[in-house]
Amino acid sequence: MIRMNKLSKVYRTHMIETHALRGIEIDVQPGEFVAVTGPSGSGKTTFLNIAGLLEEHTGGDYFLDGVNVTGLNDNQRSRLRNEKLGFIFQGFNLIPDLNLFDNVDVPLRYRGFNAAERRRRIEEALAQVGLSARIKHYPSELSGGQQQRVAIARALAGSPKVLLADEPTGNLDTQMARGVMELLEEINARGTTILMVTHDPELAARAARNVHIVDGLVTDFVRREAPSLVAVA
Amino acid sequence: MEVRPILSTLFRNKTAPLLIAAQVALTLAIVANSLYIIRERLASAARPTGLDEPNIGWINLSPVGEVADPKTMQEVDLNTLRAIPGVRSATWANMIPLSQSGWNSGGMSLKEGDNDSGINSAHYFSPGSLVDTFGLNLIAGRDFTADDVFDHDPEQGSALPKTVIISKALAEALLPNEADLGQLVGQQLFNATEAPVTIIGIVDRLQTPWSNEGADGEQSYILPIRYLVGSFQYAIRTEPGQLDRVMKEAADQLSTLRSDRVLNSQRTFAEIRASRYANETLMAGLLIAVTLFLLLITASGIVGLSSLWVNQRRKQIGVRRALGARRIDVIRYFLVENMLITSGGVLLGLLLTLALNQVLVRQMEVPRLPAEYVGFGMVIMWLLGVASVLGPALRAARVPPAVATRTV
Ligand SMILES: Nc1ncnc2c1ncn2[C@@H]1O[C@H](COP(=O)(O)OP(=O)(O)OP(=O)(O)O)[C@@H](O)[C@H]1O
Ligand SMILES: [Mg+2]
């Protein structure tokens, strides 16, 4: 689903060159739940942004769902993001002036679905995150956990192949974080590939696969049979 | 189109869009009305007089003391003028169009004693041919001959002429709704104060010295009179391109001819026209300046608000990009949003425009605003809106999608 070969990213600002990613090799299979961990500044967000086509890599190759995205133009990348990817952000990033219905509607409009199809998908996605009753509410009227659920509904409504989440629970207390994690696990169980950056070892431990990034390199990844089992080598 | 969500966003942040819409409305009202007034004034100032304007000059001298033999003096002056190379025709005349002062008669009619006809006419007279010297277009009948001309000394109350040439506008006023104006040739023309004269010709157009709006400004007649007073005013018509030189020579020669008079003025017809319409030109210029200034202010308002919104929504734009918006979608968002605000302003402005026009119609005798000026004003406002929002919208489209994850 996500395959990177010798993928690298160099940021060039003024005088400084930052080698944020230095030859990432990874192959994420469809349906996997991958937790990405690593120290601050190690390149996790960079990795996720490149995987999510929010930024372009500067070296190597990246295949998303079999498509080599190297050299695609901005419109093609936008279309791929819209059709294949769903995003969940640490800060929720709902649009404050739109109610839940319209927030979930945003990516669906870019997709070009007709009104009936969009309504069906919005209602279904909000039902899935348990917020059907709040469809006319505005984000400011919801708790953080609820807002993140709306963001998840927005990410899901377009039936993406991959869900990308950068510290989705970073702004939530433990209990709400657990709720969101459970929701992600449910979604993964229905077949959506998930890539999640987290600082929380407990949450990382619940993922079937952990990718550890240090200093721009995947230094360690561990596959285990069941999430309840022992610690990482 | 994403009109509904944009509208609901606008409704949740009403103040600034309302202010911009109000500004658009006000600008539209003022722009549409002043464009119309500008057009009216300039169109009025551009009306033809019926004269061969580029080749006509007007020269004016005042006697110092009593003039012994005005008839000889006129003849000598005219012979001098006609001898200047490049002069096509020259004659004495009592007045010239657009000069804003002159002679006028009332009670013009085809019937005797009909003093209340309400028809006025400018009262031109000349011993020569104004058809020739003004370059008028004779559309019926004939021009005067020397036989038509009567010497007239106002102090002696001498004989008056028996023939007259009238302008088409006067003919139409005398014979309303009549296609064949030629039938007037041969008829008697009466006025409130003088003996009747026979119409012998009709000229297509001869504006009055006051050049009022409408037909009134073109109702004129010409009498064949040699006016025996010491007033020296000559119309000169030159060959094309000779006017400036001829005027200079004419002034020189007339001044040196005798020492008992002074040169008052020597003006080309273009100068007469310019001074007649100086106010109109000034007013049009002022209105244009005010209009441009207003448009600039409104455009700045739109640019300012859009820029502010683009900056405030950087994060949101990044999120939209992450969710699949193409650059063009971001541009379209801002264009549509601006269109909605501008259109709100334009609709409001439509009412305001008509209201303002009402006031102008009543207070300033401005004619009612034609629909095309309102339409034109609306188009200008829409274009202004699009042009103003384009820069900020393009900037918005350059917000990278990574903003969604990179900034808090
Ligand atoms: N736009 C940029 N320009 C220059 N350098 C950048 C840019 N974005 C990130 N970097 C650098 O790239 C490296 C990796 O950053 P990244 O955000 O991927 O780290 P991270 O693992 O997500 O860190 P954190 O856990 O703190 O979020 C850092 O050294 C960072 O300073
Ligand atoms: Mg990060």
Side-chain angles (χ1 to χ4, degrees), chain A residues 11 13 18 20 39-46 199, chain B residues 406:
Chain A
Y11 290 108
T13 46
T18 310
S40 185
S42 59
K44 303 182 297 295
T45 297
T46 306
H199 273 126
Chain B
R406 286 294 184 192

Side-chain angles (χ1 to χ4, degrees), chain B residues 230-378:
Chain B
S231 158
F232 308 91
Q233 42 202 33
Y234 302 108
I236 303 168
R237 183 177 178 205
T238 66
E239 299 298 340
Q242 310 284 308
L243 185 61
D244 288 336
R245 180 186 53 77
V246 167
M247 287 307 284
K248 197 172 290 164
E249 278 185 41
D252 285 349
Q253 297 203 16
L254 290 189
S255 325
T256 49
L257 211 52
R258 303 171 61 114
S259 57
D260 60 349
R261 52 186 191 176
V262 288
L263 185 73
N264 271 343
S265 73
Q266 128 219 21
R267 298 199 291 169
T268 64
F269 197 82
E271 289 166 338
I272 293 174
R273 175 174 280 280
S275 80
R276 163 64 179 89
Y277 290 116
N279 284 341
E280 277 77 359
T281 315
L282 182 70
M283 173 149 167
L286 277 176
L287 281 176
I288 288 170
V290 167
T291 300
L292 288 179
F293 184 67
L294 264 179
L295 289 173
L296 193 73
I297 297 277
T298 305
S300 315
I302 297 174
V303 170
L305 184 66
S306 315
S307 301
L308 180 73
W309 276 353
V310 168
N311 291 338
Q312 283 179 348
R313 293 175 184 164
R314 262 183 77 78
K315 182 83 175 185
Q316 182 188 134
I317 296 163
V319 171
R320 286 178 180 274
R321 294 280 281 127
L323 297 179
R326 294 162 301 166
R327 290 199 175 107
I328 189 74
D329 295 318
V330 174
I331 293 173
R332 203 184 52 205
Y333 183 97
F334 282 92
L335 285 183
V336 169
E337 182 177 64
N338 174 265
M339 269 295 176
L340 291 172
I341 298 174
T342 310
S343 300
V346 162
L347 290 185
L348 194 69
L350 200 60
L351 301 178
L352 212 59
T353 304
L354 299 178
L356 178 60
N357 184 238
Q358 269 306 331
V359 174
L360 292 175
V361 167
R362 274 204 217 113
Q363 306 287 319
M364 287 178 59
E365 293 173 24
V366 172
R368 189 165 300 284
L369 189 63
E372 61 261 33
Y373 281 85
V374 185
F376 187 52
M378 290 166 72

Side-chain angles (χ1 to χ4, degrees), chain B residues 188-204:
Chain B
Q188 295 277 94
L189 178 65
F190 298 85
N191 75 24
T193 51
E194 277 147 23
V197 281
T198 305
I199 299 169
I200 60 155
I202 302 176
V203 289
D204 186 37

Side-chain angles (χ1 to χ4, degrees), chain A residues 169-180:
Chain A
T169 58
N171 284 10
L172 301 176
D173 65 32
T174 334
Q175 200 179 334
M176 288 199 286
R178 195 168 300 134
V180 164

